[in-house]
Amino acid sequence: MHLSPSLLLPLLSLLTTTSANVEKTIFLAPSPVLVPALTPNLDDLGLQRLSPSSSYLRTQLNASFPTTHDDPTSDPTTDHSNRDTGTDTWYFLENLTPGQRYEVRLCWLATQPTKFTLTTHHPHTTISTPALLTSLTLYSSLLLSTQPPKPLAAPLIPDSASSSSFAPHDPTLTSDSVLFLRVRAEADYYSLDQELMRSVPPVVVDVVLDPYLGNVFPRSLVRTAGWVVLVAGLAAGLRAGWLGRWGGWLLY
Ligand SMILES: *[C@@H]1O[C@H](CO)[C@@H](O)[C@H](O)[C@H]1NC(C)=O
């Protein structure tokens, strides 16, 4: 068994790096729907997209402090959910395999304390639930008003592509397994800095769409599992004295 120190270093850093937070949602991809027929202006929403072939985004999310319902003048029967519980960001998940299990993971730095809630919504549900539709429409209109010249869905659109629309290559109806993903971000800190309490800085996040292998393990974690097995083997090797020389080197 041959091991070099250059291999040990990344292993050790893997074991000690825990400064990122993770939140996720696990779901089964739904049956395909005719996308344009159900949501006539889907492409005009300007949402960032995730698909199995474009499964990673590094982006900034707006967050806000949740406000409480203690105000006696507010009517508790009215749905204020969007305004009262942080800030919503919407994504569009597409090209999913119907019946396949996926997870979407959100990773962010522990130095930006935030409570994230991830939920996926079928297009039918999104459009027929007023609270969801309101939130999506609000987000989309904010996006479109602030981002007209530069499409956000950069990973899917080559630089040379038209920047004025997200029109699919085929303008007729397409049948696809799609979901909306809502990410609700609530600031989760207290600071003496008045400015930080007044306006919450955007949170830098990585968003990852990951299919489960055999519907059991997220694909990208299988490699990590491989590392864990290797580390366990290394420890066993040290104990058994296989690695006599390297073992001694490690202990001093
Ligand atoms: C995010 O927050 C900034 C600053 O408040 C605002 O200008 C922008 O429109 C927001 N973006 C979205 C998509 O809500």
Side-chain angles (χ1 to χ4, degrees):
M1 188 165 174
H2 182 77
L3 280 166
S4 74
S6 63
L7 179 64
L8 293 174
L9 216 57
L11 279 179
L12 293 178
S13 66
L14 194 82
L15 292 176
T16 53
T17 308
T18 51
S19 57
N21 292 328
V22 179
E23 187 58 62
K24 64 180 167 182
T25 179
I26 298 170
F27 57 91
L28 290 177
S31 311
V33 291
L34 290 176
V35 179
L38 280 170
T39 51
N41 294 314
L42 205 55
D43 282 323
D44 298 333
L45 290 173
L47 303 186
Q48 286 181 295
R49 291 155 171 239
L50 286 167
S51 68
S53 59
S54 179
S55 57
Y56 169 81
L57 278 175
R58 171 158 294 178
T59 185
Q60 292 197 341
L61 297 189
N62 282 357
S64 55
F65 285 104
T67 53
T68 57
H69 273 295
D70 292 346
D71 180 1
T73 60
S74 81
D75 177 1
T77 59
T78 324
D79 185 4
H80 292 294
S81 56
N82 188 47
R83 216 178 324 142
D84 289 346
T85 49
T87 300
D88 288 352
T89 299
W90 288 79
Y91 296 98
F92 189 61
L93 311 178
E94 60 182 357
N95 299 331
L96 305 173
T97 305
Q100 160 85 48
R101 189 181 302 275
Y102 293 87
E103 73 175 30
V104 171
R105 280 195 303 283
L106 202 77
C107 309
W108 71 102
L109 291 178
T111 48
Q112 293 190 284
T114 315
K115 177 174 177 287
F116 286 106
T117 311
L118 282 69
T119 46
T120 51
H121 303 277
H122 193 276
H124 280 301
T125 324
T126 312
I127 286 171
S128 59
T129 310
L132 294 177
L133 189 58
T134 308
S135 166
L136 174 60
T137 312
L138 186 73
Y139 175 71
S140 170
S141 56
L142 267 172
L143 261 192
L144 295 174
S145 69
T146 55
Q147 300 278 341
K150 188 167 150 282
L152 276 175
L156 285 188
I157 312 281
D159 284 349
S160 56
S162 157
S163 60
S164 60
S165 82
F166 296 97
H169 305 301
D170 185 351
T172 58
L173 307 184
T174 49
S175 173
D176 192 5
S177 173
V178 298
L179 284 171
F180 286 105
L181 168 70
R182 187 187 66 183
V183 178
R184 181 161 277 182
E186 297 171 26
D188 193 17
Y189 59 77
Y190 181 79
S191 171
L192 293 176
D193 183 334
Q194 290 297 312
E195 187 51 36
L196 272 181
M197 293 310 285
R198 229 188 336 262
S199 76
V200 179
V203 186
V204 178
V205 298
D206 285 345
V207 191
V208 183
L209 170 69
D210 213 0
Y212 274 46
L213 283 182
N215 280 352
V216 176
F217 284 116
R219 186 181 58 192
S220 64
L221 291 187
V222 168
R223 213 159 35 134
T224 313
W227 282 113
V228 171
V229 171
L230 189 64
V231 171
L234 192 70
L238 281 175
R239 265 201 310 275
W242 295 342
L243 307 169
R245 198 158 65 86
W246 282 117
W249 177 81
L250 268 179
L251 295 175
Y252 287 107

